[in-house]
Amino acid sequence: MTFDLTPEQDQLRDAVRALGRRYGHGYFVEKAKAGEHTTELWAEAGRLGYLGVNIPTEYGGGGGGITELAIVCEELAAAGCPLLLLVVSPAIAATVINRHGTEEQRKRHLPGLADGSQKIVFAITEPEAGSNFHRLGTVARRDGDDWLLNGRKCYISGVDEAGHVLVVARTEDASTGKLKPALFLVPTDAAGLTRSKLDMEIVSPENQFLLYLDDVRVPADALVGESLDAGLPALFAGLNPERITVAAMGAGTGRYAIERASEYTATRKVWGGRSIGSHQGVSHPLAHAAVQVELARLMIQKAATLYDSGRDLEAGVAGNMAKYAAGEAAALAVDTAVQALGGAGMTTEYGVATLLGAVRAGRIAPVSREMILNFVAQHVLGQDKSY
């Protein structure tokens, strides 16, 4: 057992950290408040190969795994630039297409995902069903050689930046008559696909949308995989990378907040010549938050290692635990940083309160802490299913 990164992973971490700090949290917040996207950072990360670290080399990627992509997510977040679309496009979409798409789909989409020139977002959540794919109302039906999609999706990130959306729908199994999940690559400019922006109390350059699919027609090759049998494994293929990279982004955000607060409390002097950080009432909460972030990072490393080793079932447990731990740690770290900075903590200038909405959302999405506890109770502790 080793906790050391390989020399190549160490170099990746250092390089991504340098890129993120060159842009910084000020850039991130400025873009978000102007209603703009982090286009320059995304494009440069793509040119440097960071967006495609988990994509095979034959499709223009770096040939690494989710471990490497988690490093990219964490280090950009630790520099104050937590990019949600790293989770959606390289982690979910690229993994699904690489593992379960056709060769033509891999050739068509993976090179663009690797260099950042293409983004594919993910649409599973619905107003009524949430993320419960057993109750999804979005249905795909055959119409000649094409498919017709109808339904609604909500909280879909980055649709306005993407060329395609990976839609989870249900199709009728001809042999059984039962509905089964399937994934479709739908162009965001497809006829019948409309969107409505959701106003969120989160400082982020990435927007959330409601999607409406009204007889959206796509060709047969929009179906991910060679047949409908690819649907369920393709859906689950994206979930572990999603959990792990979201967790990495949370851990990076926690590191960023603790670093900002530590710099402030080590130099801020109010009573005499001692820094406020010399008082345990200030330093202990920050130290506690730092411990929680580091524990989350260890679970993220374990989950990513299991996933990259092909141990999907074990990675599912570890990935959910990592997401839970990182969500709690990030929320604690940012809240503790705000408290340590006092009034300054609530200003835009000091760059920690700007993350409150995002880390609070991290305890809800992409899977809530309560559903993770249900998962652990059932699959680890052997308890009866509670829902």
Side-chain angles (χ1 to χ4, degrees), residues 14 37 39 45-46 65-66 86 95 97 115 148 177 191 219 253 259 314 319 329 355 371 374:
D14 290 343
H37 304 305
T39 306
I66 293 303
L86 281 170
T95 299
I97 293 169
D115 67 19
L148 285 179
T253 300
E259 181 179 346
E314 294 167 274
L355 294 165
M371 286 304 297
N374 283 335

Side-chain angles (χ1 to χ4, degrees), residues 103-125:
E103 180 60 20
E104 174 57 32
Q105 288 167 346
R106 288 191 284 269
K107 289 179 178 177
R108 187 189 315 163
H109 296 290
L110 291 181
L113 293 175
D115 67 19
S117 61
Q118 182 177 175
K119 296 175 184 174
I120 298 178
V121 295
F122 184 60
I124 182 172
T125 308

Side-chain angles (χ1 to χ4, degrees), residues 64-110:
I66 293 303
T67 297
E68 284 74 21
L69 187 59
I71 289 172
V72 175
C73 291
E74 181 181 348
E75 289 307 321
L76 286 179
C81 299
L83 300 185
L84 179 58
L85 286 192
L86 281 170
V87 174
V88 178
S89 196
I92 300 176
T95 299
V96 167
I97 293 169
N98 181 50
R99 291 185 63 170
H100 295 283
T102 65
E103 180 60 20
E104 174 57 32
Q105 288 167 346
R106 288 191 284 269
K107 289 179 178 177
R108 187 189 315 163
H109 296 290
L110 291 181

Side-chain angles (χ1 to χ4, degrees), residues 169-242:
R170 299 177 74 194
T171 63
E172 185 175 345
D173 188 330
S175 61
T176 65
K178 294 182 179 179
L179 293 176
K180 58 194 299 186
L183 278 68
F184 295 87
L185 285 158
V186 180
T188 51
D189 61 357
L193 178 63
T194 56
R195 65 184 186 234
S196 175
K197 183 173 175 289
L198 288 164
D199 291 328
M200 308 291 290
E201 294 300 321
I202 299 174
V203 178
S204 173
E206 295 147 330
N207 297 315
Q208 302 291 316
F209 291 90
L210 287 166
L211 291 186
Y212 307 91
L213 298 100
D214 298 304
D215 282 338
V216 175
R217 182 179 296 275
V218 293
D221 63 2
L223 174 70
V224 173
E226 300 288 353
S227 71
L228 290 175
D229 292 335
L232 192 59
L235 174 59
F236 282 114
L239 297 184
N240 285 340
E242 176 190 55

